[in-house]
Amino acid sequence: MDAYDTGSGARQGPGGREHPAGPGGGGTGDGTGGAFGSPEGAAGPGAVRGASGETAEPPPASGPADPRSPSETAEPPPVSGPAEPGPVRDAAESGPSAGTAESASGTGPATAATAEQVKPVEPVEPVELPTGVAALSPRYQVGALVALAVVAVAVCAHLGSVFLHVAPSNTLTKQHGAAVDEWVFPEFEQNWKLFAPNPLQQNISVQVRAEVSTADGEIRTTGWYDLSAEDGRAIDGNPVPSHTQQNELRRAWDFFVATHDSDDRAVGLRGTLSESYLRRIAVLRLERNDAAGPGGVVERVQYRSRTTNVEPPSWSGEKVSDRPTVRELPWWTVSGSGDPREGAA
């Protein structure tokens, strides 16, 4: 409450106006009750004694009281601006107790305003990073595309050559047959024996023997070494036999038969190449079997094949000869180092 309210019992100055408190506080208009000279001053600086002798607390203003009338000292209207939430409280109600209750309720003006301003955060969608070739820099992308193009062209060329090799005779094979054969033989040769109506039904055993120059200068001839049987023993019971044991000798003999006539004469350069291939295989196999002996040298080698028909099943009614067919080749001269020499003995 205002200390200058007429209902407060405070003394008034001459003329009915309230006498302002002096700097020392507690002084009255009639000169009685000063700050130091009267008992009323014992209440402390600025204390005001009422009509009943009780001391009233001064107003909370830090400076001297304004001698103007209450109407003149009325507070001006608040400046227009954002309205404070909640009802307006006077000085008595805005004490510590009101602040404590407001804090306890948790719905103070600042908290309410903050709650209104907070908005839910929208979820951020994950960004998918590029992978594979797209993750490379442009320079490496160009290099990868060039490499893929080269590989694609090489694969297409290889498949086309193999197709022309197994395809029936046509214009392309007549014009480019030599180039196709150079690419396909011998690594990529194809045949239709597995899928033919009448597949291969023969057992072919390839054998070799040698003329050896011994350490004392004599010449002796070894017995026949069954090279096909050696490969069969190496393959039998082996879950992962080598490609050499399975195909080296068999493919070399097929190569020779396909490039020679019935009189064992080579047909073209490929026939001569097949003879050199068989010579080298013979020397390597004979050295593995120690056919020359200590100090001996293999001078010549001779091949022969023994072909036997596979007996047909009893329900087929087919009749075949069970007599083996032997094909014996001429002697081929070789050097001591195993390199083939031209000509035959």
Side-chain angles (χ1 to χ4, degrees), residues 112-295:
T114 306
E116 292 177 358
Q117 295 175 0
V118 173
K119 297 181 179 179
V121 180
E122 297 181 358
V124 180
E125 297 183 358
V127 180
E128 296 183 0
L129 298 177
T131 58
V133 179
L136 301 175
S137 63
R139 181 177 62 181
Y140 287 101
Q141 288 182 0
V142 173
L145 292 177
V146 171
L148 290 175
V150 171
V151 172
V153 170
V155 170
C156 292
H158 171 72
L159 294 178
S161 299
V162 174
F163 173 78
L164 293 176
H165 171 68
V166 299
S169 178
N170 52 66
T171 304
L172 290 177
T173 55
K174 291 177 181 179
Q175 293 180 356
H176 308 287
V180 171
D181 291 343
E182 288 180 2
W183 174 258
V184 172
F185 288 106
E187 289 84 4
F188 307 115
E189 182 183 0
Q190 306 291 321
N191 60 67
W192 297 98
K193 292 179 181 179
L194 178 62
F195 305 101
N198 189 19
L200 186 64
Q201 299 178 2
Q202 294 175 330
N203 286 327
I204 301 175
S205 175
V206 179
Q207 304 170 358
V208 68
R209 66 178 178 176
E211 283 188 357
V212 179
S213 174
T214 61
D216 54 4
E218 296 182 356
I219 301 294
R220 67 180 180 87
T221 303
T222 65
W224 291 100
Y225 290 88
D226 195 340
L227 304 183
S228 297
E230 292 178 0
D231 289 346
R233 287 192 295 269
I235 295 172
D236 189 19
N238 188 353
V240 285
S242 68
H243 181 74
T244 302
Q245 294 168 345
Q246 296 180 83
N247 298 317
E248 182 186 53
L249 180 63
R250 179 180 63 84
R251 298 296 299 276
W253 185 255
D254 291 343
F255 185 25
F256 174 83
V257 172
T259 55
H260 285 71
D261 57 15
S262 58
D263 295 330
D264 299 327
R265 292 193 297 263
V267 179
L269 296 177
R270 291 181 58 79
T272 305
L273 178 63
S274 66
E275 292 180 5
S276 301
Y277 191 26
L278 279 177
R279 282 192 184 98
R280 183 169 293 278
I281 292 175
V283 171
L284 292 175
R285 298 294 183 93
L286 291 171
E287 288 181 354
R288 185 185 304 170
N289 291 302
D290 195 18

